[in-house]
Every structure is written in C-alpha cells, then in structure tokens.
Amino acid sequence: MDYLIAKWLHILSSTVLFGTGIGSAYYMLRACLSARQDGGRHPAAAAMVIRHVVQADWLFTTTTIVFQPLSGWYLAHTVGYPLTTPWLMWTYGLYLLAGACWLPVVWIQLRMRDLARDATRDGTPLPARFWRLFAAWVALGIPAFVALVVVFWLMVAKPA
C-alpha cells in the first residue's frame, strides 16, 4: 500500500476513534446528568442515548481500535522507525491504558443501557446501581481520554 494512503487512513482512523469517543462521551454525560437532575424519574432520554452510544462503540470504536495498531505498525515499518523507538513505546503503553479503560466501559455501558431501558419500560426511576456504574464510567473515561490526547501529540511530534 502507498505510504501516503496508509498515513491518511491512520490519521482518519484515529480521528474517528477519538471523535466517536468524545462525541459519545459528551452526549452520554449530558443525558445522564439531565436524568440525575430530575432524580432519575425520566430515564427515556438516557436509555435512548446510551443505546446509540453502545451502537457507535461497536461500529466505529471497535473497528478503529483494531485498525490503529495495524496501520501504525505498517507506517513505522515503512518509514524505518524501530518499534522500540521511545515515542512509539509511549504510544503503545498509553494505547494499552486507554484500551484497558475502554474494555470495562463497554460492559458498563451495556449494563447502563439495560438498566435505563428497564426503568423506562417499568416506569421507575433509574436505580442506584445505574449511578454507581455511571461514576465508574466517568472514572475510567478520564484516563482513557488523557491517554489518547497524549498519543495524538506523540503521533504528530514524534519526540526524540
């Protein structure tokens, strides 16, 4: 594959990964905070938003999570960077940190989706377990976000 095409696909994929993550996080955070303001008595909006966030994660995040290391390895190999170059080693570690945060987030989002759906169906407020999961979702999202921001910087700066 042509280097320029591979680089473009790598950048496009990283943009989709980061953009989907930040956009999904924003809308899920807003939906959950809105639900919290009314005591969780109206969970329908949260249920709908979380359902769409789960779909976006499977469609966009999962595919780009797989593509990113493959395309990154190809680019490093093509340019001649040793895979042990320090800035690449940092990207591996930070990418693994983000992934280690994302895997439990996937499970958390599935549980939150189900709890919000059930509360909507039953006409009940969101349960306490929903809010505990929400707190864990936020706590895992922060280091994942920071890790990917630093990975973006490393990709651009390639510090010596």
Side-chain angles (χ1 to χ4, degrees):
M1 175 184 305
D2 178 62
Y3 173 79
L4 188 59
I5 300 272
K7 185 175 180 179
W8 174 72
L9 288 171
H10 186 72
I11 292 168
L12 182 62
S13 174
S14 67
T15 303
V16 170
L17 172 63
F18 190 75
T20 299
I22 194 98
S24 294
Y26 173 79
Y27 286 110
M28 187 159 156
L29 182 67
R30 294 301 307 145
C32 292
L33 291 177
S34 293
R36 176 167 269 170
Q37 284 178 333
D38 78 358
R41 291 185 304 273
H42 300 96
M48 181 192 65
V49 169
I50 297 168
R51 181 172 50 89
H52 289 296
V53 165
V54 167
Q55 290 171 349
D57 256 359
W58 288 115
L59 182 61
F60 301 112
T61 307
T62 303
T63 55
T64 55
I65 279 177
V66 171
F67 184 75
Q68 278 293 285
L70 297 173
S71 60
W73 176 84
Y74 177 79
L75 291 169
H77 177 72
T78 301
V79 172
Y81 285 121
L83 296 180
T84 56
T85 302
W87 72 268
L88 284 173
M89 298 294 286
W90 275 102
T91 63
Y92 308 150
L94 291 166
Y95 196 75
L96 289 172
L97 171 64
C101 292
W102 180 73
L103 287 172
V105 160
V106 170
W107 180 85
I108 288 168
Q109 288 175 173
L110 291 170
R111 290 301 308 134
M112 289 177 72
R113 177 201 61 193
D114 295 346
L115 291 167
R117 180 199 60 218
D118 294 348
T120 300
R121 180 194 64 221
D122 300 341
T124 60
L126 291 166
R129 178 164 166 75
F130 180 91
W131 300 113
R132 287 191 301 274
L133 290 167
F134 175 66
W137 179 82
V138 170
L140 289 165
I142 292 169
F145 172 77
V146 171
L148 289 180
V149 167
V150 175
V151 167
F152 255 90
W153 182 81
L154 289 167
M155 279 190 338
V156 172
K158 298 175 183 57

